[in-house]
Every structure is written in structure tokens, then in C-alpha cells.
Amino acid sequence: MVKSYLRYEPASVFGVIVSVESNIAYDSSGKYLLAPALEKVGVWHVRQGVCTKTLTPSTSSSGPSLAVTYVVSSPSSLIASGYADGSIRIWDSDKGTSETTLNGHKGAVSALRYNKAGSLLASGSKDNDIIIWDVVGENGLFRLRGHRDQVTDIVFFDSGKKLVSSSKDKFLRVWDLDTQHCMQIVSGHHSEIWSLDIDLEERYLVTGSADLELRFYTIKHDSVDGLPIPTVNETEIVGDGDLSMQSKWEVLKYFGEIQRQSKDRVATVRFNNSGNLLACQVAGKTVEMYRVLDDSEAKRKAKRRLHRKKEKKHGKGSSELTERGGKNDEQNEGEHISSMNHITKEPNNLEITVPDVFRHLHTIRASKKICSISFCPTTPKKSLVTLALSLNNNLLEIYSIESNADSKTLAIELHGHRSDVRSVTLSSDNSLLMSTSHNAVKIWNPSTGSCLRTIDSGYGLCGLIVPHNKYALVGTKGGSIEIIDIGSGTCLEVVEAHGGPVRSIAAIPNENGFVTGSADHDVKFWEYRIQQKSGQPTKHLTVTNVRTMKMNDDVLVVAVSPEAKYIAVALLDCTVKIHFMDSLKKFLSLYGHKLPVLCMDISSDGDLIVTGSADKNIKIWGLDFGDCHKSIFAHADSVMAVQFVPRTHYVFSVGKDRLVKYWDADKFELLLTLEGHHAHVWCLAVSNRGDFIVTGSHDRSIRRWDRTEEPFFIEEEKEKRLSEMFESDLDSAFENKYAPKEELPEEGAVAVAGKKTQETLTAADLIIEHLDRAEDELKHIAEHQEQKNNGEVTVFQPNIRMNGLSPSDYVLSAFSNVHSNDLEQALLALPFSDALKLMPYMKEWVSYFDKVELVCRVGTVLLQTHYNQLVTTPAARPLLTALEDTLYDRVKEWKDTFGFNLAAMDHLQQLMASRSDALFRDARSKLLEIRSEHSKRLEGRSDNREEKQRKKKQKKST
């Protein structure tokens, strides 16, 4: 009889606050902060410091979970998240559900940005391409090619008509989205450009790289409402003689640069929403804040700078005049007055430089390396702006920025470890989980994933929860054993146990004792009891050393057999020594591993011992004679932990290859491979009933895997693994390594947005299947009609597979199952013969009012793909002519309907505005009026000040 097993599946992930590889972003309201946590996106309520919801991809998607690499929020409630495989998911933040998935990139998504309306989404990737997505239509519009390296940042401007992108190839590219071509290539940086941004009014563009300065560019706009917008260069740099020769394609013009304070490379540059602050985050612990001055302040600062410069020149000139003896005092005074008049009459040649506009405010210094920053879109009352930081130690910090200082208002840190999870330990009743890291011990509820206690400690390498769940023991890297009171969350006592790191703790069954193994070559036996020490008011757990066993090398692991008869000790010399517990005499030596044994466990019946080593193998030994039953090449890297499921011979193993594997130690078969971790898996704990396991990893996550009631068979799993290998070979066949490599794209080349995936191939197969079935049905209908015309009385039997639909509607139903983003690639996979079969149905679909858009998309793709063959095929010409006659009319009817509805909505808006008591005025013109009045007043004040200073100097000189 074939044996069946019960499947384990991922249940929950906890302990991760924010990923290192991704950015953070506020939502449009400013109340919530989006923090990617590996494959999930946590939505944190900023004031409460609580994760209100988690955006998690559906588990139905095949393959391992992929980490989020970029996240951005739209002006509405939509959130876009990019993943390591190049896919992009659009989420509804209110519902917490994924609206759609966009597939187009072949590499990880490295940049995302919405336009101001939120209708377009631009994505950049490690595959050097930029894709523009239609968020409403849920499909890709076009792909922009031209960069020679990873795209690092992108931003829309000019009402979403243009796009600027930066790349590691040291160039900026300006793209015209209407004509879909590259307008301008900007050079100047000597190293990779890592980030760029444009202020709210789209006056300046700033770029940051590994260079020691920030570079600024002014932006030339085409027009708004038909009137040209003057740029900073045209209005203020009058002395520039070659402005008239400026090319119409030169959108970005170099403005200047600012020397940065930090020598680390720039990671992110961002303007806040109001545009008066600029943050420059470097790949270190600092964020440099700059104040952005408006036009009037910048002019005033430039005037003061020019005035000081003239004063210095005049000071030198007056000293020369005093040295001259040929002129009298009246002549000297006349020259002095004329020179001062010359100073005040030079505002026409005023040139504003970058330091006149951008003034360094102060520098924010964090405790650890900063991964990303995000400005809060809403302005607080008591400060300039709120800034969120994500640190590389799994920490979120919120800062309040003031004009002369900054203060940390919130730190989200209690929900996870600051570094790797080095050990996980379950209590005897599985109600508590203890995890250790380099500076803290955390107690978790394994069923909910909530953190119950956080206790400061040393570098914990191993742990043990004492029965009754009141106390815990932690072995540290410093050689001490820490006694922790779980109820109060305090460290009661630190016992100096060993002269080297305590690498392993093993409980002695049915006794109040445990064993520790250390790098100081000692294995120590301990007893614990609850007693009251002198000078302490209450009783608590104390430990005493009973026996010590000296070994001839560093002890890596210790394990005690279930009946406490044997103790197994793994040494640094790649051997495992088995001794009797009572007499400590040597019983067996296990030889065979080529590298040190890092983990081991003994089965509940005491028959088997399994060892895992740095040589990537696990070995199954008999504990009666010490014979090796089987050596299995288990992982692609070091095996870090192995453990038997209680009362079985099933074994779990974890390794540095990020995998969790489930084995049958009797049949020596691999049962399951559990994928989910994004870095080395360090530790493993199995519940005493075997209903779930817990793993801890270098990615700072703790994952729980639950046993389900779903049975599986070894043969089925083998076939499944083979089919997955076959599918992966199919995916790699799309890009055959023996095929000639694709040439580098032309400057600003445009390509199709989507990519060929398993879904698009399945959709193409479905369309072909429906076409063939509909063609057979049409032949069947024609035969029945011919029999009817010949006078034969027959009953027509339709194909039951067509669900009672006509051939045309049946083919149309195939397109309803194709995702909008996959439609183009599915049609590209159709051969010409099937494309020719499809075109007659489109003539009938045009009559359906809601299918006009679909017909337009299908017809456009087929015509662009098979243009030459369609033109030269006589059977296709009548179809093209019929579509030309009907399609244009239907599209015009749709266009008129949309135009009428938009005009009606504008009219209703005007009616509502006229009935309202509030005064509606153009905000931009009003703002410009206020600024011009303010600047005039300031100029008048500055002129009065200059006049007073001139009179004072005249009096002093006389």
C-alpha cells in the first residue's frame, strides 16, 4: 500500500517591520505609512504605531514568495508595489485587496511613480527598461528603451506629458510620452545617478549620485493654456547671450551644484509636497535638509551677494584713492557717489545661482544606516514637515523637522529583532515561542504572531524554556547563561558559565536539569531549582553546575537521548562523540562528515540520530551500533538545523540555501520543500505534536508552517517537481542562450509593454481551442442547413462544450478570461492562420456596444503584427474593408458619447460653482499676485536700507 503524508504549508510571518531592499512611502492621506516587509506591505498607523493591515499576495500564485522592491502611493487610494520578478501589483488600500497584476519587466522593479492625476504609472527596472502603464485600463501602453544600465528613478512633469529617468549609466533621459521618443540626454555626472526629483512647481530638477555634489537643472515648459511659461533662465539670467540659440529640445538646462557634507553616495533626493524643503539621504546614517527659497527671497539673497561683492571692490578702490595725492576731496567724494549709484543701478544683470535658492538647514543623524526616507504629504501645525526613516536594523523612525532642529517623535521597534534571529525555542505546551538575537530576547505568541515581551540581553545563540513557562535560559556568545523571568520580562541573573560562546543547550528529559556545550571544550551539566537567595525578597530560578566533561575540541552541538541514557556531542573536528550519561564513558564515535557538524537530533524512540553539516549533507545513523544508514545531499549550502517530528521518524532540515525540507528517515526520501525565506535560515523548532514548525532567518523573519489535513504521496511530489523543472526550462527557452543576443536598443527605442509568460501562452492556447471548436460548429451548422434545404428533416444537436453559445459568442468568451495586460502578448502568440480565423468574428462583435474597445485593441495588434500577410492575402481584404467601414463609425459614436458626458459634467460643475457663495479663483494666479506684491515690498525695503547705508558711509568718509 502506498503511504500518504500530511502536507505542511506556510501559515504566518512575523518579526519583520521593514525590508532593507525596499523603500517606504506615505499614503495620500498622510495617516498611514507603507513599509514593505519581505513579500508583504505593512500599512502602519503613524500616530498609534500599529500595523492596521497587511497587503499580502494570494497564496494561489505558484512559486516561492518574492520580496517587494519598491512601493508607491497614488493620489487616490491605490498603492502600487513592485516585486523582484518584475511584476507590479495594484492594491486598493481601503479594501486591502489586489486589484490587478501587471507583468512586463524581466528584472526586479527599481522605481515606480504615478503622475499627478493617478491615471498613469511609470516603472523602471533592472532590465534597463521603462514601462508606462494605464492604471484605469490595467494594461501596458509602451516600453521605453535606451538606458544601458539599471533605471534608478523616474518622475513625471509637464502635466504628465514628459518623463525624466535616471540610470546607473550616468545619464538622464527626457522622454516625450505623446510621441514616445527620447527628447534629451543629459550627462555631467561622473558616477551612477541614484535618485532624482522635481519640486511642486516644476522649476528645478535635482539629481544625486556618488559625486560629492548635488546637481540642479532648470526645466523649460512648453505651454499652459497656449501661453509659454517663462523659466528661471529666461526671466532672471538676462546676461546669458545664447538663450535665443537654445534648442527647442533642450528641456533641462544645467543650473548649478551644491557641495554635499557627506562623502557617502546619495541614495534618495526628495522634495516635500509644498516644495519648500529638499532632503538628501545618503547611504549612511545622515539626511541633509535644505531650505528651498522662493523667487523673491532668492533675488534678495542674490542682491545682497552682489552688493557685498561690489562693496569689497569699492573698499579696494577707496583705499587706492586715499593713496593718490593728485585729486582733492571733492573729486574723490564725487567718484565715490557715482560708484555707489552704479551699484544700485545694476539689478538688470542679476544672476541667481544655486546657493541663492537652496540653503542648508541642518543634518539629521540616525543611530543606524538609513535605507529610505519619505515625507508626510500633510504639513503639521508645530513644525515644517514630518519625515519617516527606515533603518537597516528593522526599525522605523518618525522625525519632526523644524527650522533649526529636528526631534524623533516615534520609533516602531518592538515588533521585531534588530538583527538575525539566531535561535527559536518552543515551550513544552507550544503556547510560547522564544527567539534570540544579538541584543534582545523576545517572547511571542506563536499562534497570533504578537510580541509579548522584549528583554535586553547579550548575543543569544541558544535558548530553553523551562517547564511551566515561568522562566527561560539563554546561552550567549560571551559564555554566560541568562536566567529570564518571562512574566515580568526581566533578566534575573547572569551566570558566568563558560570561557567561550555557549553554542548549545539541551534539556535532560524527566529531570530538572540541562546540558550546555561551549567553544571552551567543556560540556557542563546543570541543575535548576526555585529557591530564595540571601538578600532577595522572593524566590526565583537558580542554576548550579553539577558535572563537567572535558572534550578535545570545540563543542558545537549537544543532544540528549529521550530516556536520558546517552549524550551526543558534535565537535569541531567533524566527529560526533556519544557518551553514557551516568558514567560519561565513551559509547560511539560517528565519522563521515567532511566538515563540522552544525546540528543534530535524536528521535523520540532513541533509534536514530540525524546530523547536519557544513558539507551540505545530512546523515542518518543508528544509535545502537553507530552505523550510517544513509547520507543525503540535502541542501545547496550548509545545513543549519535538523529536528525530528516527535514520535515519528520524519525530519525537518533548514539551511543557508533559504529552504526548509521535510524528510522520511526510514525511506530516505525528500517529502516536501518549503520555500518562503529570503535569506539564510538559521534555526528551527518543531511543536511537540508536530502540528506546526517555526523557523528563524537572516531576513529577521520568524515563519510558522502548519500541518494541514491534505494528504500527499511521494510519487506525486516527484512528478510535481519534475513538471516545475520543465516549466522553468520553458521559461528559459524564451531566452535561448544559444540564440544571437539582442542588439543594444536604439536611442529612445519603443517596444511592446508586456512580456511572454505562462499565462499568456495559456491564454493563446485557449483562444486557439475556442476558434477550432467554433469553426467545427460553423461547419456543423452549414451541413445542417444544407440538409434542411434538401428536404431532410433532422434535429440540430449543438456542441454541449460551447455552453449553448453561438460560435461568435463562444470565441468572445475566450477573451473574457484573458487579463487585460496579457491580451497583447496572447495575440502575438497566435499564428497567422488563427489570426485570419479570428477576424470575421470581429465584424459581428462591433455591433456590441461594450465590446468596441476590445475590437479596437485586437484589430490593432493583429494588423500591426500581420500587416504584410494580411495585405497580400485575398481572403483578408474584404474583412479589412468591412471593419474599416463599421469600426470608424462605432468609435466616433463612442467618442461623441464621451465628449457629451464630459461637457455635461463641466456644465454641472459650473452651475454648482455659480450657486455657491464661495469665491472661486485661480489658485496659481492668486499665488503669483501675492508673491509679486510681497517681492515689491521687500525690494522697496532693501532699497531703503541700501540708501541709509550709503548715507552713513558718506558721513563717515566726510
Side-chain angles (χ1 to χ4, degrees):
M1 184 176 177
V2 180
K3 182 171 177 149
S4 65
Y5 303 86
L6 293 179
R7 188 179 300 277
Y8 283 81
E9 289 185 350
S12 64
V13 185
F14 47 94
V16 182
I17 300 173
V18 60
S19 300
V20 177
E21 293 82 8
S22 183
N23 68 315
I24 57 172
Y26 274 94
D27 73 333
S28 55
S29 66
K31 293 181 180 179
Y32 299 98
L33 183 65
L34 309 174
L38 302 178
E39 70 270 16
K40 301 180 180 180
V41 178
V43 181
W44 293 85
H45 193 287
V46 177
R47 287 188 179 180
Q48 299 175 359
V50 177
C51 186
T52 57
K53 63 169 69 83
T54 303
L55 309 180
T56 309
S58 61
T59 54
S60 60
S61 58
S62 60
S65 57
L66 294 157
V68 179
T69 55
Y70 207 90
V71 65
V72 69
S73 174
S74 75
S76 61
S77 62
L78 295 181
I79 295 169
S81 59
Y83 292 83
D85 64 342
S87 62
I88 300 167
R89 285 186 174 88
I90 309 294
W91 304 85
D92 188 335
S93 61
D94 296 334
K95 300 177 184 176
T97 56
S98 177
E99 297 291 314
T100 184
T101 302
L102 307 173
N103 289 307
H105 289 294
K106 297 178 182 177
V109 177
S110 56
L112 288 171
R113 194 76 72 109
Y114 277 99
N115 65 344
K116 287 185 178 179
S119 58
L120 295 179
L121 175 67
S123 63
S125 170
K126 289 185 177 179
D127 62 5
N128 312 346
D129 292 347
I130 301 165
I131 299 180
I132 308 299
W133 305 92
D134 180 5
V135 179
V136 180
E138 299 180 355
N139 64 323
L141 298 178
F142 49 86
R143 183 191 301 265
L144 300 173
R145 286 180 167 171
H147 282 297
R148 298 292 190 264
D149 207 336
Q150 171 187 332
V151 179
T152 54
D153 210 349
I154 44 183
V155 63
F156 285 97
F157 71 101
D158 199 6
S159 303
K161 296 178 181 177
K162 293 185 179 65
L163 183 81
V164 184
S165 60
S166 64
S167 171
K168 285 187 178 180
D169 61 7
K170 308 177 188 177
F171 292 106
L172 295 174
R173 284 181 178 266
V174 183
W175 307 87
D176 189 330
L177 301 185
D178 291 336
T179 58
Q180 301 175 14
H181 80 286
C182 182
M183 298 175 62
Q184 184 184 3
I185 302 175
V186 183
S187 61
H189 280 288
H190 303 290
S191 58
E192 298 96 339
I193 305 174
W194 287 97
S195 183
L196 61 87
D197 201 19
I198 292 177
D199 65 332
L200 180 67
E201 297 180 357
E202 297 183 355
R203 298 182 300 162
Y204 306 105
L205 180 139
V206 58
T207 59
S209 69
D211 302 340
L212 295 178
E213 58 274 335
L214 294 175
R215 293 177 71 89
F216 292 86
Y217 299 87
T218 55
I219 303 169
K220 187 187 79 170
H221 296 271
D222 292 340
S223 63
V224 172
D225 298 332
L227 299 174
I229 297 178
T231 62
V232 177
N233 291 335
E234 294 170 341
T235 56
E236 293 164 357
I237 307 178
V238 182
D240 198 349
D242 51 336
L243 271 176
S244 58
M245 303 299 291
Q246 182 178 347
S247 170
K248 64 177 182 178
W249 301 112
E250 190 177 357
V251 180
L252 299 180
K253 184 171 182 182
Y254 178 66
F255 182 41
E257 58 189 31
I258 289 181
Q259 197 76 13
R260 297 190 291 110
Q261 294 184 346
S262 174
K263 294 183 180 180
D264 297 321
R265 72 164 178 86
V266 174
T268 311
V269 287
R270 286 291 180 267
F271 287 96
N272 66 336
N273 274 28
S274 57
N276 62 343
L277 286 177
L278 171 66
C280 171
Q281 175 232 331
V282 301
K285 299 180 180 180
T286 60
V287 179
E288 298 175 13
M289 302 296 299
Y290 295 89
R291 187 70 180 264
V292 184
L293 306 179
D294 58 15
D295 294 339
S296 59
E297 290 176 333
K299 283 182 182 178
R300 237 181 18 257
K301 195 172 180 182
K303 280 183 181 180
R304 287 199 299 269
R305 176 174 50 80
L306 188 64
H307 186 70
R308 287 195 299 268
K309 188 177 179 181
K310 295 293 183 183
E311 279 187 346
K312 287 181 181 178
K313 286 185 179 179
H314 175 69
K316 292 180 181 178
S318 60
S319 62
E320 290 176 1
L321 286 174
T322 53
E323 290 175 0
R324 294 178 195 166
K327 294 184 180 180
N328 55 22
D329 293 339
E330 292 181 358
Q331 289 175 334
N332 289 339
E333 186 178 352
E335 288 183 1
H336 173 75
I337 293 171
S338 63
S339 64
M340 290 302 295
N341 289 335
H342 178 67
I343 291 173
T344 57
K345 292 179 182 178
E346 279 188 337
N348 290 334
N349 292 332
L350 188 65
E351 181 177 353
I352 294 179
T353 59
V354 172
D356 297 332
V357 183
F358 298 91
R359 179 170 59 86
H360 185 265
L361 205 59
H362 59 272
T363 301
I364 301 172
R365 301 188 185 277
S367 57
K368 290 291 182 180
K369 186 178 178 182
I370 303 170
C371 294
S372 66
I373 61 172
S374 179
F375 276 114
C376 180
T378 57
T379 305
K381 295 180 180 179
K382 297 182 181 179
S383 60
L384 292 175
V385 75
T386 302
L387 183 69
L389 309 179
S390 71
L391 307 184
N392 71 339
N393 63 343
N394 197 23
L395 182 64
L396 286 174
E397 291 183 345
I398 312 295
Y399 282 82
S400 179
I401 310 298
E402 299 175 6
S403 56
N404 54 358
D406 59 83
S407 59
K408 183 166 44 172
T409 58
L410 178 67
I412 301 172
E413 58 182 348
L414 295 179
H415 302 270
H417 282 289
R418 304 280 74 77
S419 65
D420 301 15
V421 181
R422 293 311 301 257
S423 74
V424 287
T425 309
L426 284 166
S427 62
S428 56
D429 59 355
N430 302 328
S431 62
L432 294 179
L433 170 70
M434 182 176 69
S435 60
T436 64
S437 68
H438 82 292
N439 65 348
V441 173
K442 288 183 179 287
I443 309 296
W444 307 83
N445 183 341
S447 59
T448 62
S450 57
C451 184
L452 306 177
R453 298 283 185 274
T454 299
I455 306 107
D456 292 335
S457 74
Y459 199 133
L461 297 177
C462 52
L464 176 67
I465 297 179
V466 176
H468 308 299
N469 300 344
K470 290 185 178 180
Y471 301 98
L473 304 169
V474 176
T476 67
K477 195 173 183 179
S480 61
I481 296 175
E482 297 182 354
I483 303 173
I484 292 171
D485 186 342
I486 295 176
S488 63
T490 56
C491 181
L492 297 177
E493 187 181 357
V494 178
V495 180
E496 297 299 329
H498 288 274
V502 181
R503 298 196 179 275
S504 182
I505 290 182
I508 300 176
N510 306 320
E511 293 183 23
N512 293 337
F514 61 95
V515 184
T516 59
S518 170
D520 62 356
H521 302 190
D522 286 350
V523 175
K524 291 189 177 183
F525 296 79
W526 304 80
E527 283 185 356
Y528 60 82
R529 63 184 64 181
I530 297 175
Q531 63 182 17
Q532 184 175 356
K533 282 192 173 183
S534 59
Q536 292 183 349
T538 58
K539 294 181 178 181
H540 65 79
L541 190 79
T542 58
V543 297
T544 53
N545 184 16
V546 181
R547 289 185 296 173
T548 301
M549 182 169 62
K550 281 281 183 184
M551 309 301 293
N552 57 3
D553 211 334
D554 292 9
V555 178
L556 300 181
V557 200
V558 292
V560 180
S561 63
E563 70 282 3
K565 185 178 180 182
Y566 305 113
I567 178 171
V569 183
L571 302 178
L572 193 62
D573 61 2
C574 310
T575 62
V576 177
K577 308 290 185 183
I578 299 175
H579 294 254
F580 290 101
M581 278 283 288
D582 49 4
S583 63
L584 300 184
K585 288 185 177 180
K586 185 177 176 183
F587 172 55
L588 292 171
S589 291
L590 308 181
Y591 299 96
H593 282 291
K594 297 177 181 177
L595 289 174
V597 173
L598 304 178
C599 51
M600 63 181 174
D601 193 30
I602 300 173
S603 62
S604 301
D605 56 7
D607 291 343
L608 298 178
I609 178 171
V610 61
T611 57
S613 168
D615 61 8
K616 310 172 188 177
N617 294 325
I618 63 171
K619 291 181 184 289
I620 301 164
W621 314 77
L623 201 55
D624 45 4
F625 299 108
D627 56 325
C628 181
H629 291 182
K630 188 70 174 178
S631 179
I632 304 172
F633 183 76
H635 290 266
D637 209 331
S638 302
V639 183
M640 300 308 299
V642 291
Q643 194 166 346
F644 277 101
V645 177
R647 293 175 295 280
T648 68
H649 282 181
Y650 305 145
V651 182
F652 279 99
S653 67
V654 299
K656 286 188 177 180
D657 58 356
R658 311 179 181 187
L659 299 178
V660 181
K661 293 192 175 182
Y662 186 34
W663 307 86
D664 187 337
D666 291 330
K667 294 186 176 182
F668 318 122
E669 291 279 0
L670 173 63
L671 304 179
L672 284 177
T673 300
L674 305 176
E675 299 180 83
H677 280 290
H678 299 267
H680 306 333
V681 187
W682 292 120
C683 48
L684 164 72
V686 181
S687 69
N688 57 7
R689 293 189 300 271
D691 54 346
F692 70 92
I693 69 167
V694 178
T695 54
S697 169
H698 175 70
D699 61 15
R700 293 162 192 164
S701 70
I702 300 172
R703 292 177 183 264
R704 195 181 87 241
W705 315 78
D706 285 357
R707 185 174 64 197
T708 64
E709 296 301 321
E710 178 189 354
F712 70 93
F713 302 95
I714 296 178
E715 291 74 13
E716 291 180 356
E717 287 301 310
K718 285 182 179 179
E719 290 179 5
K720 187 178 177 182
R721 285 194 290 270
L722 287 173
S723 64
E724 287 176 357
M725 290 173 60
F726 178 70
E727 286 180 5
S728 64
D729 290 341
L730 267 182
D731 293 338
S732 61
F734 294 154
E735 300 174 3
N736 189 1
K737 63 181 180 180
Y738 299 109
K741 289 187 177 180
E742 183 182 357
E743 296 181 359
L744 287 172
E746 299 177 2
E747 296 295 334
V750 180
V752 179
K755 71 173 181 180
K756 189 181 292 186
T757 61
Q758 196 67 34
E759 288 77 12
T760 59
L761 292 178
T762 306
D765 292 340
L766 182 67
I767 294 171
I768 293 172
E769 180 184 345
H770 279 233
L771 282 171
D772 293 340
R773 197 166 290 158
E775 186 180 16
D776 294 339
E777 187 70 4
L778 284 174
K779 290 179 181 178
H780 188 41
I781 291 172
E783 290 174 0
H784 174 72
Q785 189 65 34
E786 186 178 353
Q787 291 174 0
K788 191 175 180 182
N789 293 337
N790 294 335
E792 299 179 11
V793 180
T794 56
V795 179
F796 178 72
Q797 294 291 336
N799 191 343
I800 59 173
R801 291 185 177 181
M802 296 179 62
N803 301 324
L805 298 174
S806 66
S808 176
D809 292 342
Y810 182 68
V811 176
L812 183 60
S813 67
F815 287 92
S816 63
N817 298 323
V818 181
H819 190 273
S820 178
N821 183 45
D822 297 332
L823 178 62
E824 197 168 22
Q825 287 293 328
L827 292 172
L828 288 174
L830 290 180
F832 176 69
S833 58
D834 291 300
L836 201 59
K837 293 178 187 176
L838 182 61
M839 296 194 73
Y841 297 106
M842 294 168 56
K843 183 180 177 182
E844 186 176 344
W845 296 345
V846 173
S847 60
Y848 301 155
F849 190 73
D850 58 338
K851 301 298 179 185
V852 175
E853 183 183 0
L854 176 65
V855 174
C856 289
R857 288 187 63 191
V858 173
T860 304
V861 173
L862 293 181
L863 190 61
Q864 288 176 342
T865 309
H866 306 289
Y867 176 76
N868 294 327
Q869 289 173 292
L870 285 172
V871 170
T872 55
T873 303
R877 291 173 190 170
L879 299 174
L880 294 174
T881 307
L883 281 174
E884 182 183 6
D885 295 339
T886 57
L887 198 55
Y888 278 106
D889 295 336
R890 299 295 288 172
V891 171
K892 187 176 184 305
E893 185 179 349
W894 263 66
K895 185 179 177 183
D896 293 342
T897 304
F898 282 133
F900 180 82
N901 291 337
L902 289 172
M905 291 172 70
D906 289 338
H907 179 64
L908 290 173
Q909 185 179 8
Q910 291 173 7
L911 286 176
M912 292 174 66
S914 62
R915 291 173 186 169
S916 176
D917 295 332
L919 183 64
F920 287 91
R921 299 184 65 178
D922 184 14
R924 183 178 174 82
S925 61
K926 181 67 176 174
L927 185 63
L928 291 174
E929 287 176 11
I930 294 172
R931 283 185 176 176
S932 62
E933 291 177 3
H934 185 60
S935 61
K936 285 178 183 178
R937 290 176 187 170
L938 292 175
E939 285 176 2
R941 290 178 185 174
S942 62
D943 292 340
N944 291 335
R945 287 175 187 166
E946 291 173 359
E947 186 67 25
K948 288 179 182 178
Q949 289 176 359
R950 186 177 62 82
K951 287 180 180 180
K952 285 181 182 178
K953 288 181 180 178
Q954 285 180 358
K955 287 180 182 179
K956 288 180 181 179
S957 61
T958 53

